[in-house]
Amino acid sequence: MTKKTFLVEIGTEELPAKKLKNISLIFYKNFINELKKNNISYKKINYFSTPRRLALQIIEINTSEKTKKIIKKGPAIKNAFDENGNPTIAAQNWAKNYKVNLNQTQRLKNQKGEWLIHYAEKKQKKIELLLPIITEVALKNINVNSNMRWEGENIKFIRPIRNIVMLLDNIILKEAIIFHLRCNNILQSHISSKEEKIYITDAKEYPSILFKKSKIIAHHENRKEQIKYEINKIAKKVNGAIKKDSLLLEEVTSLVESPKVLLANLKKDYTDKIPQEIIGYIIKKQQKCFPIYSINEEKNILPYFIFITNIHSQNNKNIILGNEKVMHARLSDAIFFLKKDRKSKLKDYLKCLKNISFYKGLGTLYQKTLRLVFIVKKIFFYTKEINEINLIRATLLSKCDLVTEMVSEFPELQGTIGMYYALENKEKKEVAIAIKEQYLPSFSTDKLPSTPIGSVLSIADKIDTISGMFSIGEIPGPEKDPFGLKRATLGVIRIIIIKKIPINLKRIIEISLEKHNVEKSNISVIFEKIKNFFIKRLIFFYENQKYNINIVQSVLAYESMDLLDIDEKIKAISNFKKIESIILIVKRISNFLKDKHEKMISTKINERLLIQIEERKLLEIINDFNYTTKQLFIEKKYTEILLKTKLLIKPINTFFKKVQINHEDIEIQKNRVILLIKLRKIFLQITNFSYLY
């Protein structure tokens, strides 16, 4: 067995930073799949990525020649031989075509029939020919919805490919052509490097040769750890600290391939005049830099920032000055917009919302605000511990910052700007915080609103958008969700369940549809669509938490919109240790009732017809159970209910053992069936157990 090291580097134009890590990982996984398909073994695969390259290094790849078995399928047996057992012309022609002796053939038999077959061995292509094919397939199967065409070529990739390196140990695969490019041994150098070409003579030299020649750190994780170490070290030198921001660190790592970490200054004038959160946003989100926070007061930003450059220069001073100039220009813009906005109070912007369309067919932002006021009042009915005046005030001011200069320039700060302006206008603190928190959560793992008012406003805002979009037919498909309705729905679910807000979600959605002027005759139709949409999101919500999907579906089978009830049931059933015994007894009851004509049977027990002690005892236990669990069902205490349900198992088993249900007296038989119907009703109050057996 011959083992070698294989290297492939795809040199590209600048790849999208936010997708780079994922692109690299998909390339790596695709390549593994193709190696497996071709039965090629290896010891290990290292994968690398920088803004201008994707690379794989396969250690100890098996390059020895291989053969693979191929099945040559012939005619069906019934067509291969005549009634005397002699080969037909079809069988003879097949054997001749594949140069097969009919006496050496085998038979393949399955449910569909029986055929003649012959196993032939075929030599696999040489590894030097296979690897380019595998590479091209692995690249073409990277689908990130942002592919490009370039230079008139009818080929697509995330960004134009400019160079391809392929080495098998020290052998250059010169004959290999991928995306119309002939492979070579010249690595892409750093974009600003004077040394334009880096020759690699052996696959084992990668990636060390890149660092040696151009200070390029090809390994993404190594590059990230280097940046992380340097920014923390620099922050400590100025008695500061860097707040953890995994997304920013990942993005910056994907923007540079030869990182140089530098410290720059912020003018104190900016840190004094601009709210800290806004400064942090501009530094991180706008400029992709790292603010430095005070060790003693974590919210305070020190008059410094750290940036990562992709250039190694003899004169860092000019690079620092250039970055400071750009940063100060952005902060100066912020001060200008803040001054302009502060000429009016936040409440004064409410009337301006009349001129801003929310969405075609859904009115203006002013009309949306009025709808939100109506909805939060209805939600307030279920959450009366909230101050209603503050709730309505927060709702009225909730969209006012959308017409400010600051939000126009920095859209991601919507809500945050409103909070700061509300505080400056001496609004109540919980009102101001709710204005910011109305947009939470903005993605599936985002934090939830911290205040009751923020939670209610967030629910109302999301329900108004969901019901509005459904009312005009803008319903998300399996892959497309341009208005983020899946995120909004999941946000409503998370807030209600985690914050335990006991609202009548069905009624709130119907009210919202009414406020969108949906005709009464259509409300139920649209509500059904929204309900089904919510149920799909609920399944996703519980699947992500690793709940048993059968348990989830058993509870959701009733298509209830009482999210707290759903949650309590799923958790109780999932955590109940001996649920199997209950499942078995429910299955037994259901199987017996399956063939009974229940609609013809009265639901009232005739106690005079209970002639055996076991059936009288069972009725007594059923009545006792219904009495003792009535309040437990109201309080949604399903664990306690399940514990009490276990007390039914023994008398039910005794009933089945000792009592003949199909009695010769039809009235006695009906009476006993009614007992089973009553039992099934008890279990159906908990969940649809048919999903669990």
Side-chain angles (χ1 to χ4, degrees), residues 442-479:
S442 58
F443 51 91
S444 61
T445 56
D446 195 11
K447 62 183 179 181
L448 301 180
S450 63
T451 63
I453 292 179
S455 297
V456 170
L457 183 53
S458 177
I459 291 169
D461 185 36
K462 290 170 174 58
I463 287 176
D464 176 78
T465 300
I466 294 163
S467 58
M469 290 301 175
F470 270 77
S471 72
I472 59 171
E474 294 286 1
I475 301 172
E479 295 179 3

Side-chain angles (χ1 to χ4, degrees), residues 92-100:
Q92 291 173 26
N93 288 340
W94 171 74
K96 185 179 179 181
N97 187 40
Y98 287 107
K99 297 177 182 178
V100 176

Side-chain angles (χ1 to χ4, degrees), residues 111-232:
Q111 293 176 343
K112 294 182 179 179
E114 190 176 8
W115 294 267
L116 280 176
I117 61 165
H118 176 69
Y119 289 104
E121 286 194 345
K122 183 182 179 183
K123 276 190 176 182
Q124 193 167 278
K125 284 183 180 179
K126 287 186 177 181
I127 196 80
E128 292 88 345
L129 299 174
L130 269 177
L131 287 171
I133 296 169
I134 288 170
T135 302
E136 187 161 21
V137 171
L139 288 168
K140 284 181 176 178
N141 286 335
I142 300 173
N143 183 13
V144 290
N145 299 322
S146 57
N147 288 346
M148 296 174 62
R149 286 189 175 91
W150 63 94
E151 295 177 356
E153 300 285 359
N154 192 28
I155 50 177
K156 292 191 295 182
F157 195 62
I158 301 105
R159 291 293 182 271
I161 296 173
R162 299 306 184 195
N163 186 61
I164 298 177
V165 171
M166 273 197 182
L167 288 175
L168 197 58
D169 274 357
N170 58 357
I171 299 168
I172 307 164
L173 304 189
K174 291 180 179 178
E175 301 304 313
I177 297 174
I178 299 176
F179 290 110
H180 303 323
L181 289 172
R182 191 172 292 279
C183 299
N184 58 68
N185 69 324
I186 306 169
L187 301 170
Q188 275 202 158
S189 185
H190 190 282
I191 194 167
S192 64
S193 175
K194 292 179 182 178
E195 189 175 348
E196 293 181 1
K197 295 180 180 180
I198 300 175
Y199 289 90
I200 181 169
T201 56
D202 195 303
K204 296 182 185 71
E205 295 176 348
Y206 199 90
S208 58
I209 191 170
L210 285 173
F211 188 76
K212 182 180 177 182
K213 296 285 187 180
S214 234
K215 293 186 178 179
I216 293 169
I217 304 173
H219 196 287
H220 183 93
E221 290 303 311
N222 292 352
R223 198 162 65 250
K224 183 169 72 175
E225 287 304 311
Q226 178 69 20
I227 293 169
K228 187 177 175 181
Y229 171 77
E230 291 291 338
I231 61 176
N232 283 310

Side-chain angles (χ1 to χ4, degrees), residues 227 231 234 252 260-265 287-290 305-310 316-324 327:
I227 293 169
I231 61 176
I234 289 174
V252 169
K260 177 71 175 177
V261 183
L262 296 170
L263 178 71
N265 292 298
Q287 301 305 120
K288 312 301 178 190
C289 299
F290 295 87
F305 68 94
I306 294 172
F307 67 94
I308 319 298
T309 179
N310 201 31
N316 289 332
K317 188 176 179 181
N318 286 338
I319 297 174
I320 292 169
L321 287 172
N323 276 270
E324 286 176 347
M327 185 69 74

Side-chain angles (χ1 to χ4, degrees), residues 585 588-590 592 614 618 650-661 676 679:
I585 207 72
R588 190 172 185 182
I589 294 168
S590 296
F592 189 88
E614 291 82 9
L618 185 56
K650 188 175 179 180
I652 293 172
N653 282 329
T654 303
F655 173 80
F656 275 116
K657 188 177 180 180
K658 299 285 183 70
V659 178
Q660 185 182 347
I661 300 170
L676 295 182
L679 282 169

Side-chain angles (χ1 to χ4, degrees), residues 586-623:
V586 175
K587 184 179 181 181
R588 190 172 185 182
I589 294 168
S590 296
N591 285 341
F592 189 88
L593 291 174
K594 195 179 291 182
D595 301 323
K596 301 295 178 184
H597 300 291
E598 297 172 39
K599 290 181 181 178
M600 298 172 63
I601 300 172
S602 167
T603 56
K604 189 175 180 180
I605 290 284
N606 186 340
E607 294 190 30
R608 289 187 299 103
L609 296 175
L610 299 175
I611 58 176
Q612 287 185 227
I613 189 169
E614 291 82 9
E615 53 186 331
R616 290 198 298 272
K617 183 67 175 173
L618 185 56
L619 178 61
E620 183 184 323
I621 290 171
I622 289 171
N623 290 336

